[in-house]
Amino acid sequence: MAFDKYVKLPGSERKPMPGAAKTGVLDPNEPMHVTVVLRERPAAKNQPSLAELVASGRRVSRDEYAAQYGADPKDVQEVEKFAHAHGLKVGQVNLPARTVALTGSCSAFAKAFQVDLATYQYQGSAYRGRTGAVNIPTELSDIVRGVHGLDNRPQAKTHFRMATDASAAAATSYTAVQIAHAYNFPTSVNGKGQTIAIIELGGGYKSADLKAYFKSLKISPAPSVSAVSVDKAKNKPTGDTNGPDTEVMLDIEVAGAVAPGAKIVVYFAPNTDAGFLDAINQAAMDKTHKPSVISISWGGPESSWTAQSLQNYNSALQAAAAVGVTVCCASGDNGSTDGSSDGSDQVDFPSSSPYSLACGGTSLDISGSAIASEVVWNDLPNGGATGGGVSATFPLPSYQANAKVPPSAATGNQGRGVPDVSGDADPQTGYLVQADGSQFVVGGTSAVAPLWAGLVALFNQMIGTPVGYLNPNLYQKVALAAGTFNDITSGNNGDYKAGPGWDACSGWGSPNGTAILKALSSAGSSGS
């Protein structure tokens, strides 16, 4: 094939990061790793489309998913021809995730996809960037749905916040066990037989810290924790508690404290558009560890993503739903603007995907082992606040039809409302954690995603089958049952206020875990 006629890849347009400066050309021999996303295999006769499958509440095994909805090997062959024609090597082919990994030099990729790659400086560090669209040969225009990794800017941010005085002695804090008691988590199960996947885009954990932490909680044996490398990233602690180590440890310690019998598998990936996507796909389709729930505490405003990324990540989350995996995502720590560069109201992605269980934040006061008070977490303007609002990208899902989701304060349109649920996130009523040899207090919606992931693992063990794509059941049955949520009716996150029922800063509220389990057991766990 000649591959001499090109078209723009829809949704691939990039701009420099706000405030970034172009500083020079790249070494043409710099090695690169790029992930190409392919179209879904056409549905066989009498087979529902992927969207129809998920909407029906049915699910398939990972093998069935690969055979029915993964990439067509013939499409992979076309990409391989293109790669070889441009001196690129084909790496891992992930048929269920519909991805093909390509490696090669900077100059080869620039020529293959007709992009101008350059070095940009942003907040004291450099990244490889591009502007404009990615271009692909016309022969691939019906096959390729995304090209990720040409640009390696940091794609997502952590969603944890340190307490003003984070020392364990000075701050009001709780262990995750105390919070689980206040939220009435089931106590007859511990997550045994389940695997919780945690996605991390930097930092690492030290086994000595985990051992000491769980010993301090009198949890014995300590939860099983293992690391999986995605795109050559590894468990690599930085030694800086202000960096990603705290995110990693918070996620593991919260999930492990509430579901100590579950296996915890941490997928370490580069903090890039390609790395994050590859991690979600790898966790969702992992036939070795078989996670039943994924916890994600990284994200960014919808405007910080390309349109192709929003859609391809959403497809990856939809695939997780199809194989019965619940994905819990932090909703952000910057209120209704989500820290957007222009100050407009935005929601955080990937929590804004309709296939994510979006986790918002509250400020929790516990007296004894019971909730004394609980309001929306908002320490603005000097601190953080729970993310929440209305998506400008994803339309209102059918399961939210009766949730009274308001029009977007930014666009006036009605879209996917965020969050779905909430939990303690205020760093001033935060979680006691241990990282890099010291104990301190941390909050943020980063804590709520693993809290809910641990709760889902308990549900899965008790029910005997994964609850999977929880959102339809949550809105149409569970949240409507008496006593399943602690309704948060006081506070705001900026432009959205709490009120009775669902709202765009606390969702349905914080969990009454045992009541939710009862409602799920009676409703069935299929998500229908």
Side-chain angles (χ1 to χ4, degrees), residues 159-161 250 332-333 361 377 424-427 431 442-449:
H159 290 323
F160 74 86
R161 293 275 178 144
L250 173 68
D333 295 350
W377 168 44
D424 183 31
D426 185 348
Y431 298 68
V442 183
T445 55
S446 274
V448 190

Side-chain angles (χ1 to χ4, degrees), residues 288-313:
T288 300
H289 299 100
K290 302 176 183 176
S292 62
V293 57
I294 298 173
S295 178
I296 301 176
S297 293
W298 299 68
E302 285 185 335
S303 63
S304 66
W305 303 77
T306 62
Q308 68 165 358
S309 294
L310 290 164
Q311 297 307 323
N312 288 328
Y313 278 60

Side-chain angles (χ1 to χ4, degrees), residues 18 62 97 106 112 177 196 199 231 267 297 305 322 366 424 446 467 522 524:
R62 289 176 170 91
C106 174
V177 173
I196 300 171
I199 290 176
D231 298 345
Y267 296 77
S297 293
W305 303 77
I366 298 175
D424 183 31
S446 274
V467 297
S522 61

Side-chain angles (χ1 to χ4, degrees), residues 25-95:
V25 297
L26 288 162
D27 176 359
N29 297 314
E30 177 184 325
M32 290 174 54
H33 171 103
V34 168
T35 298
V36 179
V37 180
L38 310 184
R39 65 185 172 185
E40 182 183 321
R41 186 192 298 253
K45 190 175 181 180
N46 300 323
Q47 175 187 310
S49 69
L50 181 57
E52 290 168 340
L53 175 83
V54 174
S56 72
R58 291 159 53 200
R59 60 184 63 158
V60 293
S61 70
R62 289 176 170 91
D63 285 335
E64 288 171 332
Y65 183 91
Q68 297 173 21
Y69 302 104
D72 189 327
K74 292 180 180 178
D75 287 349
V76 174
Q77 290 174 2
E78 295 304 306
V79 173
E80 289 176 338
K81 291 175 187 176
F82 163 72
H84 294 149
H86 288 89
L88 303 173
K89 292 182 179 179
V90 177
Q92 183 183 23
V93 175
N94 188 332
L95 289 177

Side-chain angles (χ1 to χ4, degrees), residues 104-116:
S105 69
C106 174
S107 59
F109 274 111
K111 183 177 181 182
F113 291 102
Q114 296 190 352
V115 290
D116 178 24

